[in-house]
Amino acid sequence: MSYNERMSIAKTAGSDSPTRAEGMNGLAKGLAIIESFSLARSRLTVSQAAAASDTSPAAARRCLLTLAELGYVSYDGKYFTPTPRLTLLGAAYTGTAALPQLAQPRLEAVRDELQESISLAVLEGSYSAIIARAEADRTVSAFIRLGSRIPAWHSATGRVLLTSLTENELDEHLATANLEASTTKAIVDPNEIRQRVRQAGEAGYAFTDEEIEYGVRTMAVVVKDSRGETRAAMSLSASAGRWTLADMHTQFLPVLQREATLLGRML
């Protein structure tokens, strides 16, 4: 959400205090800057942060330098990069929400059986956000971690989660999305993405083949609650050098579906 969008919401709420309005103004800018970081934008210059958050370069610079002083980002003289401390901002949610707590044993069960890292993601605006994760000893991707946000159209988890949208909502999502490829294998055609989402809706799972990162294949299955509503996506990332898509369908998919079903029964 951009700074201007936040301020529109703030104005709707109203304020009769200049101090309160100024405080909300600064907070909105800071939050917009923080949300500008993503998998596709893991480091930002001042001008990039200003453009992504719809703030002025001066305001973006002040926010970024404050975040650097507090230890939330590092600064090398040109680029600002998030530090592990930034994940603390989500601790109030990931540490107390029922879904991450309930999911953790299920993720660990998959990890222990398949010896691969497993994630749970929810739809957060136009992103697939990882809210729980069980890490394997072997690291496949340096980008997928707790707190990562990946453009929904671009990921297996996102394509599963986008099945919860209506046709009109999906059209709007794709019309406003920045369909920027991170590898030459990425699918960026809106019609093909829409078809992948439909396939995910029919099959209950989706996959990517080196679309986000070379050498990495991912598979995600839907997590539906007791009312049949899509709540999350459970996903696995594997090395393309070790596993073919056929192997993943045969060996990984049944385990993911089993644990996703068990999780869904608790929701």
Side-chain angles (χ1 to χ4, degrees):
M1 183 181 295
S2 71
Y3 163 66
N4 285 337
E5 290 172 324
R6 292 188 187 283
M7 291 311 298
S8 177
I9 294 172
K11 289 176 182 177
T12 301
S15 172
D16 53 9
S17 166
T19 301
R20 190 187 314 161
E22 177 60 27
M24 184 173 290
N25 183 33
L27 176 60
K29 289 179 181 179
L31 291 174
I33 293 294
I34 288 172
E35 289 188 351
S36 299
F37 291 101
S38 67
L39 180 64
R41 296 184 300 226
S42 59
R43 60 178 190 165
L44 296 170
T45 63
V46 169
S47 59
Q48 289 171 336
S53 61
D54 196 19
T55 58
S56 69
R61 179 177 175 80
R62 287 196 300 270
C63 289
L64 286 167
L65 289 176
T66 299
L67 289 170
E69 290 174 2
L70 295 174
Y72 289 110
V73 299
S74 62
Y75 181 46
D76 63 6
K78 180 178 181 181
Y79 290 101
F80 291 86
T81 306
T83 68
R85 188 179 182 186
L86 196 61
T87 61
L88 293 175
L89 296 180
Y93 174 73
T94 58
T96 61
L99 184 52
Q101 289 180 329
L102 291 173
Q104 198 61 40
R106 305 271 60 87
L107 299 179
E108 292 173 0
V110 180
R111 177 201 59 195
D112 293 345
E113 184 169 347
L114 301 179
Q115 295 299 302
E116 299 289 351
S117 296
I118 313 297
S119 301
L120 188 80
V122 296
L123 192 61
E124 186 179 275
S126 59
Y127 292 89
S128 170
I130 296 178
I131 62 169
R133 184 164 169 82
E135 295 277 1
D137 292 336
R138 178 173 47 228
T139 300
V140 174
S141 172
F143 300 104
I144 307 301
R145 56 192 181 275
L146 184 63
S148 292
R149 296 164 70 245
I150 310 166
W153 64 270
H154 197 26
S155 63
T157 54
R159 290 169 190 170
V160 166
L161 294 168
L162 289 175
T163 62
S164 64
L165 302 184
T166 66
E167 286 292 326
N168 288 339
E169 289 172 337
L170 180 58
D171 288 342
E172 183 179 351
H173 174 87
L174 294 176
T176 58
N178 178 18
L179 304 181
E180 183 178 341
S182 52
T183 76
T184 57
K185 295 188 176 183
I187 297 172
V188 296
D189 179 71
N191 291 325
E192 189 169 355
I193 295 170
R194 188 179 293 105
Q195 183 61 29
R196 291 297 182 98
V197 172
R198 288 172 180 161
Q199 291 173 350
E202 295 171 359
Y205 71 92
F207 63 88
T208 62
D209 187 5
E210 299 186 275
E211 293 180 46
I212 298 176
E213 185 179 358
Y214 288 116
V216 178
R217 294 185 170 121
T218 62
M219 177 174 285
V221 300
V222 65
V223 177
K224 292 191 175 184
D225 62 21
S226 56
R227 296 177 298 279
E229 297 179 355
T230 297
R231 292 287 300 278
M234 186 181 294
S235 68
L236 175 150
S237 299
S239 168
R242 292 198 311 272
W243 300 100
T244 65
L245 286 175
D247 289 335
M248 293 175 70
H249 279 78
T250 301
Q251 300 186 46
F252 294 168
L253 184 58
V255 178
L256 287 170
Q257 290 176 324
R258 181 194 71 210
E259 296 300 325
T261 298
L262 290 173
L263 175 58
R265 289 173 182 169
M266 295 185 285
L267 302 176

